[in-house]
Amino acid sequence: MKDVSFGQYYPIDSPVHRLDPRLKLLFLIVYIAAIFVADSFWGLLACAGVLLFSVLLSRVPFGKVLRAVKGVIFLVIFTAVINVLFYAGETVYWSWGIFSVSKEGMVFSAFLILRIVLLVICSSLLTYTTTPVSLTDGVESLLSPLKVIRFPVHELALIMSIALRMIPVLSEETARIQNAQKARGADFESGNLIKRIGAFIPILVPLILSALRRADELGDAMEARCYMGGKKRTKYKKLRFGWGDLAGALLGAALLTGVILLRIYVGGVI
Amino acid sequence: MRIVAEHLTHIYNEGSPFEARALDDVTLTIEEGEFFGILGHTGSGKSTFVQHLNGLIRLPSSLKRAKKRKPKEGLPAPVLRVGDFDLADKKTDFRALRKKVGIVFQYPEQQLFAETVKDDVAFGLKSFADRKHPPEEGEIETAVREALGAVGLRYEEVASQSPFDLSGGQKRRVAIAGVLVTKPEVLILDEPAAGLDPLGKNEIADLLHRLHGDWCKTVIIVSHDMDEIAENCTMSAVFAEGKVKYVLPPRELFKHAEELSAIGLDIPLVAKLCRALSARGVEIGCDFTADGFVKAVLAMRGRA
């Protein structure tokens, strides 16, 4: 019921929490660019170092941060294995039919794993340290230039914020329905895959119904308050770009420039 | 089934900023055969308490991977027994327990999912059944017929309908029937009358009395509606901030009007009337039910 799922806002105060959401979003983009530009051990080490620094600064416990990685562990292992087996490298250790294991393939997979892990940690750090509301404000503000070409930025931001807002509501609802069906003897833990999928019908049907009902009610409530979206709406909390944000921007810029320079002048492993 | 709880403590999200202490050293005994009312404000821990009773929330010691945490200083180990089931033991068969202790959650009509009323009511029956010997069609039909009858619905009228085509009150009855179908000995209802009009509330109260008489030995209702408790219960407990404040029969409990209002709880309408009359010098001794009040007033007028 009140057990929190991963990726949700972690409500403490820290320099990272106080940063402007726009800066954090841009930083995430720059960071992702940096981990894919970095093609050497030193480049990725620099990326990892910057992330470690951010995590320490955010004071979100390591356990929480690593839990985000746990969610994608299967994907990571799967991609790594596929890559090791299919990468066409030169120093081949073992091969069988179309499969081969080479030194290059292993290095490439190691880089890939590291990149995915860093990517996941960095993006979950964003959601841990930024409330959905300020995240949406950030997105809206960043996309606002698109208003010129009549792109419905505000509506998009609204959809996003409602979707984000509903995640905890629906997960609570799921837990509630799950408990109710468990009390009626439903068993979600045993049986084969098909049985288990079947076991979710008693949860899915009520969940979808309640989501539709909530959507209806929210729509009515907004209409009753004459919600009109778009122009001339003012914000309760104005976004401000402060000194901390400047420092963050400089850090991001330095990291990206650093890995680009490393790539050009030192060259990478792959 | 007698329910014994000692030193129950439950903390949600322990060790995180979301930490919330829902139960704080709760000790409470519910005797077999009682119509028990659990009162309390939102967040007082009453729902968390009842979810312990059928193992939806487990005691740490009953989990397979029992956390090897040191017991808290000065606090004796929690005890929770429902009939012969020891809920602190990890060997307990929790499915067997859930069959004996039925819980009807708040707004149970929101859990309906099947295509027909019959299938929905039969869900519990099928899922509790022995895998190797699934119940026969005839058995299912008899059980569903009985359960629907117990909640005052006619099998012939509703069984083949979609539960979503029924009225709100009927949906709730079907959902209650879905819990009754396995014939639990203890029936727990979380806010059974929430969101119903006064007539609907009376119907649910009548229904619960009928069930208490000849279907389930023990009925426990969780509520913050004082009238509901005063009218129906033989015994009641008041929860506040995760602790049990009072365990008294309603007629005794509502004499503590000041203390109850201090923890944000109201008193029944009849109790308010008695207090107002008492302030004007008219003492009416009654049990805080509407019937009792009317009888007391009539007796007084007869005397006058």
Side-chain angles (χ1 to χ4, degrees), chain A residues 25-84:
Chain A
L25 278 163
L26 286 176
F27 187 89
L28 180 66
I29 296 168
V30 166
Y31 189 81
I32 292 171
I35 52 179
F36 282 97
V37 167
D39 58 351
S40 65
F41 174 70
W42 292 111
L44 274 184
L45 191 69
C47 294
V50 167
L51 190 58
L52 183 69
F53 172 72
S54 319
V55 171
L56 285 175
L57 205 61
S58 74
R59 299 218 311 268
V60 177
F62 273 106
K64 271 264 168 202
V65 176
L66 289 180
R67 235 207 278 173
V69 180
K70 227 169 104 184
V72 292
I73 201 87
F74 177 74
L75 176 82
V76 169
I77 293 173
F78 183 73
T79 348
V81 169
I82 293 291
N83 266 293
V84 166

Side-chain angles (χ1 to χ4, degrees), chain A residues 2 10 176 179 184-185 209, chain B residues 13 17 51 95 110 120 127:
Chain A
K2 284 155 201 151
Y10 194 79
R176 210 168 60 82
N179 267 347
R184 293 211 274 161
L209 279 173
Chain B
N13 299 303
Q51 285 183 54
R95 280 169 66 80
Q110 293 178 4
D120 209 293
S127 45

Side-chain angles (χ1 to χ4, degrees), chain A residues 1-2, chain B residues 21-23 37-49 106 190-191 222-226 229 237-245 259-267:
Chain A
M1 180 166 89
K2 284 155 201 151
Chain B
R21 185 174 286 256
L23 289 182
I38 294 180
L39 279 162
H41 232 268
T42 319
S44 60
K46 54 191 186 341
S47 293
T48 308
F49 175 74
Q106 211 170 353
D190 194 348
E191 301 277 359
V222 175
S223 178
H224 59 242
D225 183 340
M226 298 298 141
I229 302 280
V238 177
F239 276 62
E241 289 165 2
K243 288 178 190 292
V244 178
K245 293 282 176 191
E259 294 94 322
L260 285 175
S261 80
I263 50 176
L265 289 173
D266 209 356
I267 53 170

Side-chain angles (χ1 to χ4, degrees), chain B residues 121-142:
Chain B
V121 174
F123 176 71
L125 200 66
K126 287 180 191 162
S127 45
F128 277 123
D130 190 348
R131 289 274 156 70
K132 285 162 203 146
H133 310 283
E136 283 165 34
E137 194 53 36
E139 273 176 64
I140 293 177
E141 199 188 306
T142 319

Side-chain angles (χ1 to χ4, degrees), chain B residues 202-247:
Chain B
N202 282 343
E203 283 175 6
I204 289 286
D206 288 345
L207 167 64
L208 294 183
H209 275 293
R210 278 206 310 278
L211 293 179
H212 184 227
D214 44 48
W215 197 277
C216 311
K217 284 185 191 142
T218 313
V219 173
I220 301 173
I221 59 174
V222 175
S223 178
H224 59 242
D225 183 340
M226 298 298 141
D227 292 303
E228 200 178 358
I229 302 280
E231 293 288 335
N232 302 310
C233 296
T234 55
M235 195 66 184
S236 59
V238 177
F239 276 62
E241 289 165 2
K243 288 178 190 292
V244 178
K245 293 282 176 191
Y246 298 100
V247 185

